[in-house]
Amino acid sequence: MTGIQSTDIKNKLHAFCVQCKNAGLKMTPQRLAIYKYLLETVEHPSADTVFRNVRHTLPNISLDTVNRTLLTLNRIGAAFVVEGTGDVKRFDANLEDHQHFKCLNCKRIIDFHHAPFDNVEIPTCIKDQFTILRKTVYFEGLCKDCQSIST
Amino acid sequence: MTGIQSTDIKNKLHAFCVQCKNAGLKMTPQRLAIYKYLLETVEHPSADTVFRNVRHTLPNISLDTVNRTLLTLNRIGAAFVVEGTGDVKRFDANLEDHQHFKCLNCKRIIDFHHAPFDNVEIPTCIKDQFTILRKTVYFEGLCKDCQSIST
DNA sequence: TGACAAATAGGATTGAATCCTATATAGGTA
DNA sequence: TACCTATATAGGATTCAATCCTATTTGTCA
Ligand SMILES: [Mn+2]
Ligand SMILES: [Mn+2]
Ligand SMILES: [Zn+2]
Ligand SMILES: [Zn+2]
């Protein structure tokens, strides 16, 4: 697969460079590799998972850089921290409208898309009390694999 | 306020005793105090906050017991871990249908209730793939106090 | 090409959460 | 009521995610 890259990925990488420049951020190999990995996976990886994978291409990258960069991506809006209940932080660079299901047993986070959830209407009672920066619909339970195993 | 206790709280404490007995759990002063504190607050406290408050009545209680008990409450359905993105676990014993707003700056978690969200319809695409144990609608942003302060 | 602010590596530190185990106790039984 | 035992607790040790610290490196712009 190496060397072959969809136009979509290329476009997003280019958009990312522009986004960094606009935010006054330097384009480092570390940043690019982390963002690229996050773009190409559907796993919603933790910082440690990103670290272990990015090390294949950048053997000297530090875990701190991965953590710092993931938070930077979150800050500039190139990625975000996935919602959940406890456990380690998980990240997502898929900015398209979608929702998440998380298996309580194997911790897998699976995307789904149900259009009616895309823009859940904000009730006025909170619209004029808060600045809403994010709205999520989030499901938890057991995936098919884990239904059978767990009691 | 000490000594005065609403009928509602009394009922819930009694129901909790029954629930513990049904689950084969002993009724300890620690368990009761932790559940009672959680019932009476609207703060969605962390384990540490519960610990510091319950210590007023049980000076020797350990943090481990608080953590263990909160997870037990979550397991038997007497309380739950509040959804969010990172930060420390926060707990809620309010089982009535409601949703949460969390301020990214001051970390306050505020209840609101918008009836249409109570039972968000589960799309079939995931209904037959997963066992859904929990459905949440969650908003994030800045509360009024923090809108002015933060840049 | 040179200067400098920004970013990184890697080790140290923090802090939440869990684990370990000797002791205490809730709640059923005789 | 007094005992018995499985369950629960206290408190210290441990784990692990995440952040901090700082000397060194590097991207970017003039
Ligand atoms: Mn996703
Ligand atoms: Mn609540
Ligand atoms: Zn699973
Ligand atoms: Zn706030």
Side-chain angles (χ1 to χ4, degrees):
Chain A
M1 204 74 89
T2 317
I4 297 178
Q5 209 171 92
S6 77
T7 319
D8 185 47
I9 298 267
K10 274 186 201 159
N11 287 342
K12 283 178 177 166
L13 287 175
H14 181 256
F16 176 63
C17 291
V18 173
Q19 193 175 16
C20 283
K21 175 163 281 190
N22 289 342
L25 301 175
K26 291 178 181 174
M27 183 44 52
T28 66
Q30 292 89 338
R31 243 169 223 168
L32 202 62
I34 290 166
Y35 178 68
K36 188 166 179 300
Y37 173 71
L38 210 54
L39 260 192
E40 286 171 343
T41 183
V42 295
E43 305 268 316
H44 305 90
S46 66
D48 191 66
T49 303
V50 174
F51 177 57
R52 280 183 288 101
N53 281 280
V54 169
R55 268 223 275 207
H56 299 152
T57 43
L58 297 174
N60 289 323
I61 196 169
S62 74
L63 179 55
D64 185 44
T65 295
V66 174
N67 268 298
R68 203 170 359 87
T69 301
L70 288 169
L71 292 182
T72 302
L73 298 187
N74 181 67
R75 181 167 55 80
I76 68 173
F80 57 91
V81 183
V82 180
E83 68 279 9
T85 53
D87 293 323
V88 306
K89 282 198 186 74
R90 304 274 289 267
F91 297 86
D92 192 347
N94 178 2
L95 301 180
E96 284 169 41
D97 278 326
H98 70 285
Q99 294 83 34
H100 292 130
F101 167 85
K102 182 172 184 180
C103 176
L104 293 168
N105 186 248
C106 66
K107 311 298 184 190
R108 266 185 290 193
I109 293 170
I110 291 133
D111 289 333
F112 69 91
H113 185 213
H114 186 59
F117 295 159
D118 285 351
N119 267 297
V120 287
E121 163 219 356
I122 307 169
T124 21
C125 64
I126 71 154
K127 202 186 290 190
D128 46 43
Q129 249 188 98
F130 308 106
T131 305
I132 306 296
L133 297 172
R134 190 168 163 194
K135 306 175 278 183
T136 63
V137 175
Y138 167 68
F139 292 171
E140 255 180 19
L142 293 172
C143 75
K144 217 154 210 172
D145 293 351
C146 294
Q147 285 168 41
S148 34
I149 302 162
S150 66
T151 52
Chain B
M1 205 72 89
T2 318
I4 297 178
Q5 209 170 93
S6 77
T7 318
D8 184 48
I9 297 266
K10 275 186 201 160
N11 287 342
K12 282 179 177 165
L13 287 175
H14 181 256
F16 176 62
C17 290
V18 174
Q19 192 175 19
C20 283
K21 176 165 280 190
N22 289 342
L25 300 176
K26 292 178 179 173
M27 184 44 54
T28 65
Q30 292 88 341
R31 243 168 222 170
L32 203 62
I34 289 165
Y35 179 68
K36 188 167 177 299
Y37 173 72
L38 210 54
L39 260 191
E40 288 172 338
T41 184
V42 295
E43 305 269 315
H44 307 89
S46 66
D48 191 68
T49 303
V50 174
F51 177 57
R52 282 184 287 100
N53 281 278
V54 169
R55 267 224 275 209
H56 299 150
T57 43
L58 296 174
N60 290 323
I61 196 169
S62 74
L63 178 56
D64 186 43
T65 295
V66 174
N67 268 299
R68 202 170 359 87
T69 301
L70 289 169
L71 291 182
T72 302
L73 298 188
N74 181 65
R75 181 168 54 81
I76 68 175
F80 57 91
V81 183
V82 180
E83 69 279 10
T85 51
D87 293 322
V88 306
K89 282 198 185 73
R90 304 275 288 267
F91 297 86
D92 194 346
N94 178 5
L95 301 180
E96 285 170 42
D97 279 327
H98 70 285
Q99 293 83 34
H100 291 131
F101 166 85
K102 182 171 186 182
C103 176
L104 293 169
N105 186 248
C106 66
K107 312 297 185 190
R108 266 186 290 194
I109 294 170
I110 291 134
D111 290 331
F112 69 91
H113 184 214
H114 187 60
F117 295 160
D118 285 351
N119 267 296
V120 286
E121 164 220 356
I122 307 171
T124 22
C125 64
I126 72 152
K127 205 188 288 190
D128 46 44
Q129 247 188 101
F130 308 105
T131 305
I132 306 296
L133 298 173
R134 188 168 166 196
K135 305 175 277 184
T136 63
V137 176
Y138 166 68
F139 291 171
E140 253 179 21
L142 293 173
C143 74
K144 217 155 211 173
D145 293 350
C146 295
Q147 283 169 42
S148 34
I149 303 161
S150 67
T151 50

